[in-house]
Amino acid sequence: MSYNSFGHLFRVMTWGESHGPAIGCVIDGCPSRIALKATDIQSDLDKRRPGTSRFTTQRQEPDQVRILSGVFQDDTMKQQLTTGTPISLIIDNVDQRSKDYSEIRETYRPGHADFTYDKKYGIRDYRGGGRSSARETAMRVAAGAVAKKIVAGLNVRGALVQIGDMKIDRSRWDWKEVDQNPFFCPDPVMAENWENYLDRIRKSGSSIGAIIEIIAENVPVGIGAPVYAKLDQELASALMSINAVKGVEIGRGLDAASLSGEENADQIRMGADGEPIFLSNNAGGILGGISSGQSIVANLALKPTSSIRLPGRSLDIEGNEVEVVTTGRHDPCVGIRAVPIAEAMLAIVLLDHVLRDRGQNALPRKAGTRPM
Amino acid sequence: MSYNSFGHLFRVMTWGESHGPAIGCVIDGCPSRIALKATDIQSDLDKRRPGTSRFTTQRQEPDQVRILSGVFQDDTMKQQLTTGTPISLIIDNVDQRSKDYSEIRETYRPGHADFTYDKKYGIRDYRGGGRSSARETAMRVAAGAVAKKIVAGLNVRGALVQIGDMKIDRSRWDWKEVDQNPFFCPDPVMAENWENYLDRIRKSGSSIGAIIEIIAENVPVGIGAPVYAKLDQELASALMSINAVKGVEIGRGLDAASLSGEENADQIRMGADGEPIFLSNNAGGILGGISSGQSIVANLALKPTSSIRLPGRSLDIEGNEVEVVTTGRHDPCVGIRAVPIAEAMLAIVLLDHVLRDRGQNALPRKAGTRPM
Amino acid sequence: MSYNSFGHLFRVMTWGESHGPAIGCVIDGCPSRIALKATDIQSDLDKRRPGTSRFTTQRQEPDQVRILSGVFQDDTMKQQLTTGTPISLIIDNVDQRSKDYSEIRETYRPGHADFTYDKKYGIRDYRGGGRSSARETAMRVAAGAVAKKIVAGLNVRGALVQIGDMKIDRSRWDWKEVDQNPFFCPDPVMAENWENYLDRIRKSGSSIGAIIEIIAENVPVGIGAPVYAKLDQELASALMSINAVKGVEIGRGLDAASLSGEENADQIRMGADGEPIFLSNNAGGILGGISSGQSIVANLALKPTSSIRLPGRSLDIEGNEVEVVTTGRHDPCVGIRAVPIAEAMLAIVLLDHVLRDRGQNALPRKAGTRPM
Amino acid sequence: MSYNSFGHLFRVMTWGESHGPAIGCVIDGCPSRIALKATDIQSDLDKRRPGTSRFTTQRQEPDQVRILSGVFQDDTMKQQLTTGTPISLIIDNVDQRSKDYSEIRETYRPGHADFTYDKKYGIRDYRGGGRSSARETAMRVAAGAVAKKIVAGLNVRGALVQIGDMKIDRSRWDWKEVDQNPFFCPDPVMAENWENYLDRIRKSGSSIGAIIEIIAENVPVGIGAPVYAKLDQELASALMSINAVKGVEIGRGLDAASLSGEENADQIRMGADGEPIFLSNNAGGILGGISSGQSIVANLALKPTSSIRLPGRSLDIEGNEVEVVTTGRHDPCVGIRAVPIAEAMLAIVLLDHVLRDRGQNALPRKAGTRPM
């Protein structure tokens, strides 16, 4: 049991506060002999890094990751490999500007974890939100980058599909567009609309929510497990652990409530290559908690950040009624930078289940799929 | 790590198949000296029991629970108490009619776990869905009934708020109505509409999805924990583990994506009794993964059951294309009986976090809430 | 986390009290498609069963095990197979004679868990020791019997090597003798001596300690893991969890303290078959927490049972000084029946690590043992 | 599940190799508001630090620890306090001299983990033993120093009681002597003898084993738990995880095998202060896996290090027979520096169980110790 770890065979523990000297994570259970160097991780981190556009926080953090353990290379080896021992990753905090936060020491921002941390622990590192800061999520991205290197062929990606009530047009979905705008938006028309929309919100001192869709392709059949290790359950857990997430959907999600049994059940035909073909994917690639071989599809909804420049009614730490304005640097839409975070969580959940499945079932399955 | 357990300090492991001799669970970590007898559990089980109306499966299962361990009473004691050791609960399977299922031995029902179990394990107990049957959830309700006895004052309840696209009118919400109709519906007008609606679906051989809302009142402030033990995360995990659930929302859920920061952040005033008053509850009672003292509110969406009498295209176990019709007894709307199941999961998650919080933080918190 | 479970991928939870209606266990994570029927388990249980000689408790328990879940056979299958879902095992308690224990309700037996259970839980099922009874260990033997069926070629066995200060002569060690006497003694001469010795102890109302040696042959190289999952560590944990065990040794054990580096280090030569040959086995088959391919060898020391007919000074539950005599049926030497228990724990630890190793390392290892 | 973590509510994960840039650990679950600064940890680390006498390795490591997260102090606070979030500790590796180890790249030292790491992972960081190096244990000492600050009154200490076959005279036991010699020896006469003895061994290029005794005083009654969370079991696990440990004893340990029931059972009288007085402590303070309130006493035996300058027969990585001599810097008796390590493990196990007990049982116990 751990408050700051997730995964089972591939297990990640993160540590660090927004304004401490550094943040980091330790990955336990990584298979050995995986080629891994810091630059493999850095490219994913750069996608999440703050300050890359005017639509994210202006905090300047290079987020340079270092690998402190768990890899090895000597002059007989062509590349650096994992050794099977814990991989410790660290990122120094650089641009902290702690003075920005001195006034929230005395007050609780509405909608923020300030209040509950103080109630729970009787103490709170208020600088930049301390442990509750989304800065922690950098380490998820780092761990996810490691996870992605392990399962051959697995392809995990995500996109922002809604900001506020402005949804993309799915008929315009183009994965190549995702890297062409500051929103990870697959719809180039909507990306332009969002630009104007977010500029207005940003200048007004407000913030706005968003919805992300993540997809994993080439997922092995048979990973996940009943009953309390369902693949959708563990994915829901991983996604709901991301700061600001308030809703998670697998496949058709909430809409499945409105469907009839015959509309919902994904029918199957046999493909020319002897592999089953599903005629739809309402299940999001998971049946009974186990992967079917279809793409895993999930959506997650993020609330707007509660750190805004507009005044809100709240209490101070003595219980006096006050009005709170947050003047630090914040993302007007935390959903944007959550795209690579959600991808990382999906990759880790899948890898963890691949390893668990190898442990329990790899051999029996190889022995044949019909009873003796 | 376990595929069939959940919870940490209050830990529940379930076992059993739909058509085996019995189902059961073992509760580990229950505090000692809690008054507990089988009838305390039975009343919750009776709410979930099949065959109580024409809108649920006609399988007749009395679901009589027996306590096999973990409690004690001698003639000096006024009541039976828990001893702190594992509580083993068992329910015999009575009405199995296995012959109904003999034909699905050879085929995969579309949208069902038949396919994935076979692919994963290379073997499948196809009778009644085996381990993938919702019959397993009886033990969740049993464990939840134990959990409810432990945290004084905590009040957990739920209601069905949508079947298909027919939503209740929240202005008519009346908790007393929930026990007056076969749907756990808090809106008496909608309950009548659903009756006709479901009769049509049932007779057509189809099925339909639904949405449940669950609420916990009098939740202690400060339970839950960052970062990977967030209360909303573990609740999402627990709810997504329920058969057929495809979406989970905490507080405003998906709608939070459409809100601005000032709309979403629940503002706070000071009550006459010195306790904070929140002016709204968009957060669903959880901030930063920790309970704020407001009611916990969550929604879960269930897909329609995939076991229907209407034909669907699929494969048999040899890979031949077939048409499948399911003739066994099934719920036309599995969402109905999931109401007590969701309540149970919520109760267990909350209790588990109450115990975890006692372990780590009970003493420091008592020592005062401000830094030394 | 669980107080009543052990193992990780192959995970066993036990439940039940000495004088409750039944005892049982649930095995989670068992690979699918393993041939398993109740009689496979029964033969191991019969070795541990009480009442088979005058040197064990005279309680008469047939210890008939039933499998309630996790296996499947239909008329197309030649044998019953595991399905990969939880295997629930149950044994009814038959010969309870609870009246024997009525007087210890009020007193604490010296050296017994009576005192600590009462202090911890504020309540105690005193009948036959309740949960602290060695009756729980029947389920370890049952789970161990399942574990033994999974790793092909693995051979786990044990023997009693010392009762009181009477040690066997290792030059007379003969595995075939172990089943020929009531002590699991590999030395036929010592077995006769023990018979007389134990008769004296039994008649005097006293009890005596013992030492067991367990060995696993054909252990795969490379199972176990640094740093907190060392094979010797988890074996020490498993053995120390057996009632009455006070000491555990791996390989040379305590004697290793007296050795010099050159005496202790097991030297290696290359065998004609290309497999390494170790010239000694001081390490007990484990180097750095990982199996070397040599036999795993461990010793465990058990204290004498504290339930004796000779009077001992103690307190009653009100704190009054009393003299306690235990009149129930007890083993004069609990070490005897602990032999199959220790074997079972060893089998489970090894299997669990085989599965964990498959999960993390099976593939990289196959790819070759030298860096790229 | 994790290969590199231990503890449950107070959970420690370590990382790092002997010759990587740094080693570290993360402590999860530490209660908040504990006064903690780096110097609190440093004093314990200095006890384990290499190079402080000629009887330990001459590697020069200042072992300066830094706290990277989980503590907080601002100018309103008199001292730095824990916040309840993960505490990340790091020590830079300074004196690595990797060239010493270049030749063992090609060979397996007899009795060393070289062989098994290579077989398991297919790769090995051979510099200084990599992850298998006792350097990892510095982080145990660091985590133990944190643990010791939390349970008021608890007193954990240890001593070396045997080197080779030279045992201390217990009648001369004086705790004050432990800090007066380089061996943590409580017997000043034996300390002098060991000095000569170890000088001989050191100069000969050999090494020697040892036995440590650790004791915890003022342990709360009622911590620990049946059946697989026994206090003695978890202590055995923690101690056996220390490099080179081959045997663990609780209380009388192996000698308990030779005792009769009446000799072994610790009898109880009532003290003048209303607290029970045990007339002996054969149980080592633990009955049925739960603390009795007596001192916890355990012994652990360490084998001699396998890194010696005397030649041993072994294989190289190609399978050729070779003779191996280890020329790096090593402890002639690893048992010496293991004293603070064993103390730390004991402190962590006890604290973890104190927190677990608070979670499950603090309230019921307060409600009274007799049935209702």
Side-chain angles (χ1 to χ4, degrees), chain B residues 1-5 7-9 11-17 20-22 26-30 32-33 67-77 81-88 90 105-106 117 120-127 131, chain C residues 1-5 7-9 11-17 20-22 26-30 32-33 67-77 81-88 90 105-106 117 120-127 131:
Chain B
M1 202 195 75
S2 168
Y3 301 109
N4 293 277
S5 303
H8 295 88
L9 287 196
R11 188 158 175 84
V12 180
M13 179 187 261
T14 74
W15 57 268
E17 280 85 29
V26 189
I27 301 170
D28 198 3
C30 184
S32 62
R33 298 173 62 81
I67 307 178
L68 296 182
S69 68
V71 293
F72 185 63
Q73 181 177 21
D74 67 16
D75 51 23
T76 70
M77 296 166 64
L81 300 178
T82 61
T83 61
T85 62
I87 300 170
S88 176
I90 194 169
R105 177 173 71 192
E106 303 294 326
Y117 270 64
K120 182 178 188 71
Y121 297 113
I123 182 174
R124 163 175 60 106
D125 178 352
Y126 48 78
R127 301 164 305 163
R131 183 71 182 150
Chain C
M1 200 196 77
S2 167
Y3 301 109
N4 292 278
S5 302
H8 295 88
L9 288 197
R11 188 159 173 84
V12 180
M13 179 186 262
T14 73
W15 56 266
E17 280 86 29
V26 189
I27 301 170
D28 198 3
C30 184
S32 60
R33 297 172 63 81
I67 306 178
L68 297 182
S69 67
V71 293
F72 185 64
Q73 181 177 19
D74 68 15
D75 50 23
T76 71
M77 296 166 63
L81 299 178
T82 60
T83 60
T85 62
I87 300 170
S88 175
I90 193 168
R105 176 172 73 192
E106 304 294 327
Y117 269 65
K120 182 177 188 73
Y121 297 114
I123 181 173
R124 163 175 60 105
D125 179 350
Y126 47 78
R127 300 165 306 165
R131 182 72 179 149

Side-chain angles (χ1 to χ4, degrees), chain A residues 191-204:
Chain A
E192 284 189 43
N193 297 342
W194 285 351
E195 197 156 337
N196 298 325
Y197 180 57
L198 262 189
D199 269 333
R200 264 201 325 278
I201 287 167
R202 186 172 55 83
K203 288 172 185 164
S204 74

Side-chain angles (χ1 to χ4, degrees), chain D residues 205-222:
Chain D
S206 181
S207 63
I208 191 72
I211 294 182
I212 292 169
E213 181 160 317
I214 50 173
I215 296 176
E217 295 156 313
N218 301 327
V219 178
V221 187

Side-chain angles (χ1 to χ4, degrees), chain D residues 6 22 110 147 167 172 188 206 208 240 254 272 279 281 283 300 358:
Chain D
F6 67 102
K167 304 182 186 183
R172 287 194 296 255
S206 181
I208 191 72
M240 197 66 94
L254 290 184
L279 305 184
N281 190 10
L300 52 154
R358 278 185 199 161

Side-chain angles (χ1 to χ4, degrees), chain A residues 1-5 7-9 11-17 20-22 26-30 32-33 67-77 81-88 90 105-106 117 120-127 131, chain D residues 1-5 7-9 11-17 20-22 26-30 32-33 67-77 81-88 90 105-106 117 120-127 131:
Chain A
M1 202 195 76
S2 167
Y3 300 110
N4 292 278
S5 303
H8 294 87
L9 287 197
R11 188 160 176 84
V12 180
M13 179 186 260
T14 74
W15 57 266
E17 280 86 30
V26 189
I27 301 171
D28 198 3
C30 185
S32 62
R33 296 174 62 83
I67 305 178
L68 297 182
S69 67
V71 293
F72 185 64
Q73 181 177 21
D74 68 15
D75 50 23
T76 70
M77 296 167 63
L81 299 179
T82 61
T83 60
T85 62
I87 300 171
S88 176
I90 193 168
R105 177 173 71 191
E106 304 293 326
Y117 269 64
K120 182 177 188 70
Y121 296 114
I123 181 174
R124 164 174 60 105
D125 178 352
Y126 48 79
R127 300 164 307 164
R131 182 72 180 149
Chain D
M1 202 196 75
S2 167
Y3 300 109
N4 292 277
S5 304
H8 295 89
L9 287 196
R11 188 159 174 84
V12 180
M13 178 186 263
T14 73
W15 56 267
E17 279 86 29
V26 189
I27 301 169
D28 198 3
C30 184
S32 61
R33 297 173 64 81
I67 307 178
L68 296 182
S69 67
V71 293
F72 186 64
Q73 181 178 19
D74 68 15
D75 51 23
T76 70
M77 295 166 63
L81 299 179
T82 60
T83 60
T85 62
I87 300 171
S88 175
I90 194 168
R105 176 173 72 190
E106 304 295 328
Y117 270 65
K120 181 177 188 72
Y121 297 114
I123 182 174
R124 163 174 60 104
D125 178 352
Y126 47 78
R127 302 165 305 163
R131 182 71 181 150

Side-chain angles (χ1 to χ4, degrees), chain C residues 92-349:
Chain C
D92 291 323
N93 287 329
V94 171
D95 178 18
Q96 303 163 3
R97 281 174 56 181
S98 290
K99 61 185 153 63
D100 281 348
Y101 297 95
S102 55
E103 77 180 28
I104 61 168
R105 176 172 73 192
E106 304 294 327
T107 56
Y108 299 126
R109 282 167 285 177
H112 198 277
D114 296 337
F115 175 77
T116 50
Y117 269 65
D118 238 13
K119 290 299 174 194
K120 182 177 188 73
Y121 297 114
I123 181 173
R124 163 175 60 105
D125 179 350
Y126 47 78
R127 300 165 306 165
R131 182 72 179 149
S132 75
S133 164
R135 186 135 186 75
E136 183 270 345
T137 58
M139 301 321 302
R140 305 178 184 222
V141 174
V146 178
K148 286 178 194 169
K149 298 211 64 173
I150 298 170
V151 184
L154 182 67
N155 185 26
V156 171
R157 49 189 177 173
L160 203 63
V161 298
Q162 183 177 335
I163 293 183
D165 51 10
M166 300 180 73
K167 304 181 187 183
I168 64 160
D169 179 339
R170 283 171 177 269
S171 70
R172 286 194 297 255
W173 190 300
D174 180 355
W175 279 110
K176 286 193 297 294
E177 290 294 328
V178 166
D179 295 331
Q180 306 301 319
N181 59 68
F183 308 109
F184 302 103
C185 179
D187 169 357
V189 178
M190 185 52 69
E192 283 189 44
N193 297 341
W194 285 350
E195 198 157 334
N196 298 325
Y197 181 54
L198 264 189
D199 269 333
R200 265 203 321 279
I201 287 168
R202 186 172 56 82
K203 288 173 186 165
S204 74
S206 183
S207 64
I208 191 73
I211 293 182
I212 292 169
E213 182 160 316
I214 49 174
I215 296 175
E217 294 156 313
N218 301 327
V219 177
V221 186
I223 69 167
V227 176
Y228 301 111
K230 288 196 172 97
L231 194 52
D232 29 8
Q233 167 186 11
E234 302 215 337
L235 185 52
S237 174
L239 297 177
M240 197 65 95
S241 77
I242 299 172
N243 308 40
V245 174
K246 301 302 286 183
V248 173
E249 300 181 297
I250 306 296
R252 282 296 283 271
L254 290 184
D255 286 350
S258 306
L259 298 179
S260 67
E262 64 275 21
E263 289 167 331
N264 178 70
D266 302 312
Q267 302 189 78
I268 324 177
R269 297 286 80 179
M270 179 54 77
D273 59 353
E275 290 299 313
I277 295 174
F278 290 84
L279 306 184
S280 54
N281 191 9
N282 294 317
I286 306 172
L287 292 170
I290 302 170
S291 65
S292 66
Q294 286 199 281
S295 292
I296 306 287
V297 182
N299 279 262
L300 53 154
L302 294 99
K303 67 175 185 182
T305 180
S306 51
S307 298
I308 52 177
R309 294 202 316 275
L310 302 175
R313 287 171 291 174
S314 186
L315 303 179
D316 69 15
I317 59 177
E318 307 293 347
N320 302 306
E321 298 190 338
V322 292
E323 224 169 53
V324 177
V325 169
T326 308
T327 53
R329 300 160 298 181
H330 297 285
D331 290 277
C333 176
V334 290
I336 300 171
R337 292 203 289 139
V339 173
I341 302 165
E343 289 172 358
M345 297 308 280
L346 175 54
I348 293 169
V349 167

